[in-house]
Amino acid sequence: MSGNTSNSCIEALEPSNRFLVSAVVYGLVLAVGLPLNTVSLWILLRSHGLRSSCAVLMVNLAASDMLLALSLPLRVYFYATLQWPFGVGTCTAAIMLFRINIRTSCIFITLISVDRLVALVFPLRSRSLRTTACACKCCAVVWVLIILLCIPEIIRLHNSLRECTYNTPCFEFQVLPKSSPISAFAVGQAIFLLILLVVNIVSTVVVIVALRKRPSTGAAKVNNKMNVILIFAVNMLVFMIFFLPFTLQLLKTQDKEGTFLRAFICLASVNCCLDPLIYYFSLDSFWQDKGKRQTDKGTYSLSRTTERFQVAGNS
């Protein structure tokens, strides 16, 4: 272990209301988020597949949320019992699954906003860019980069946890820097999340301005402006409520015991329960079966053809 850091290894955790609240919150997120994201992922793959850039991004966001949900039972057990009998490796994996979800969710939500923005503002020029292949490559790059960047963190966390010989504090564990009040990694992560927040804010403003300039009738009509606005509203809500407090807390030095940071991490986990709203407002007829959508389109086309014949006969 480097001499520049000290570990928060403790012999025993005393029961407190904070641990009880954490267990309840993580339990509720698990009970709501796991089935919601499981159903959402099933619907995305079954009804929409990977036939559009937006669908590809949402499948990856749902998969990221599934990783978070799968790590929550261990958090619920730890905060309910204040014991960790599963070993250092399992603890490291559970912590990193959570951190990977926070990072990938921020990126995928931002990519969804950018994709919707480009589709609205540059519908023709963006066709060659907004392809399934391009979206798959972007998602693959995101996963590979995030995992590669997490490898040093995984090694450092695993080695530090191994020094806690008596009791593994797991989710209450933290590495405290001695030399500097804020680690360079925490600053870099906070700056990155703030940049993503700025991108979402700019995208939201540009979309609102573009929708106001669009005529309400004619070929350029936006069929469902409310759904478009709600996509960006949900994205902004996720960032402002769940990610921004966590990001700002990374830049503070007063919280030496990490109490507020752990509370904001608990709050950030709730984001996986809101992500299905993004799928609902982003994809037309999200909860409708593909065959039903094709039948509706066929019926609509037939009715339009009949109307044309009737108009031609009357004239």
Side-chain angles (χ1 to χ4, degrees):
M1 186 65 189
S2 174
N4 295 327
T5 59
S6 62
N7 298 337
S8 62
C9 295
I10 48 181
E11 294 187 356
L13 292 172
E14 296 295 332
S16 70
N17 291 332
R18 180 172 70 85
F19 298 144
L20 178 61
V21 171
S22 297
V24 171
V25 172
Y26 286 128
L28 290 175
V29 173
L30 174 64
V32 176
L34 183 59
L36 265 182
N37 284 283
T38 302
V39 172
S40 297
L41 187 60
W42 179 75
I43 291 174
L44 284 168
L45 292 174
R46 179 178 179 273
S47 299
H48 298 276
L50 302 177
R51 291 185 294 272
S52 67
S53 59
C54 188
V56 170
L57 294 173
M58 291 179 185
V59 166
N60 280 270
L61 178 59
S64 176
D65 289 336
M66 287 288 293
L67 289 179
L68 168 67
L70 291 175
S71 71
L72 291 182
L74 295 175
R75 287 184 178 265
V76 174
Y77 176 86
F78 174 78
Y79 283 110
T81 64
L82 300 182
Q83 298 294 326
W84 186 260
F86 306 112
V88 172
T90 305
C91 177
T92 304
I95 292 175
M96 293 312 302
L97 280 177
F98 192 95
R99 295 181 183 180
I100 288 173
N101 165 261
I102 296 297
R103 294 157 189 170
T104 54
S105 290
C106 292
I107 297 174
F108 288 135
I109 288 173
T110 304
L111 288 176
I112 290 172
S113 294
V114 173
D115 176 80
R116 298 290 82 192
L117 168 67
V118 173
L120 179 66
V121 180
F122 309 105
L124 298 179
R125 284 181 287 179
S126 64
R127 285 183 178 179
S128 59
L129 181 63
R130 295 181 56 253
T131 62
T132 300
C134 184
C136 289
K137 291 177 182 178
C138 288
C139 292
V141 169
V142 170
W143 283 110
V144 171
L145 282 180
I146 292 296
I147 292 175
L148 288 178
L149 290 174
C150 286
I151 290 177
E153 189 179 3
I154 293 172
I155 296 173
R156 183 172 63 252
L157 178 62
H158 184 270
N159 292 337
S160 300
L161 282 168
R162 288 177 60 185
E163 295 187 358
C164 301
T165 55
Y166 177 77
N167 181 39
T168 302
C170 199
F171 303 112
E172 288 293 302
F173 177 86
Q174 62 178 339
V175 177
L176 303 174
K178 286 181 177 179
S179 58
S180 60
I182 306 177
S183 67
F185 187 84
V187 173
Q189 179 172 324
I191 292 175
F192 179 70
L193 291 177
L194 289 174
I195 291 174
L196 295 182
L197 175 61
V198 171
V199 172
N200 278 271
I201 293 174
V202 172
S203 299
T204 303
V205 173
V206 172
V207 165
I208 292 175
V209 173
L211 288 176
R212 286 184 176 180
K213 291 182 178 179
R214 288 289 178 92
S216 58
T217 58
K221 177 182 177 181
V222 178
N223 294 325
N224 205 336
K225 291 185 178 181
M226 183 58 65
N227 273 14
V228 174
I229 294 174
L230 285 173
I231 295 169
F232 292 89
V234 172
N235 289 351
M236 288 295 300
L237 182 68
V238 169
F239 262 89
M240 298 295 290
I241 295 180
F242 303 113
F243 295 149
L244 184 59
F246 166 74
T247 303
L248 296 178
Q249 188 62 37
L250 291 176
L251 301 176
K252 290 187 176 181
T253 60
Q254 292 83 2
D255 188 23
K256 295 297 183 181
E257 296 181 357
T259 303
F260 290 105
L261 181 60
R262 293 187 182 97
F264 290 138
I265 289 175
C266 187
L267 177 64
S269 68
V270 184
N271 85 88
C272 73
C273 298
L274 284 185
D275 286 343
L277 292 178
I278 300 175
Y279 317 143
Y280 179 81
F281 292 121
S282 297
L283 295 175
D284 295 334
S285 305
F286 173 72
W287 299 107
Q288 198 175 68
D289 182 73
K290 179 175 63 175
K292 179 64 166 57
R293 292 200 309 273
Q294 291 175 345
T295 302
D296 291 343
K297 290 180 180 178
T299 304
Y300 175 76
S301 299
L302 180 61
S303 64
R304 293 294 294 171
T305 303
T306 304
E307 289 178 3
R308 292 193 188 100
F309 278 120
Q310 290 176 348
V311 171
N314 293 335
S315 61

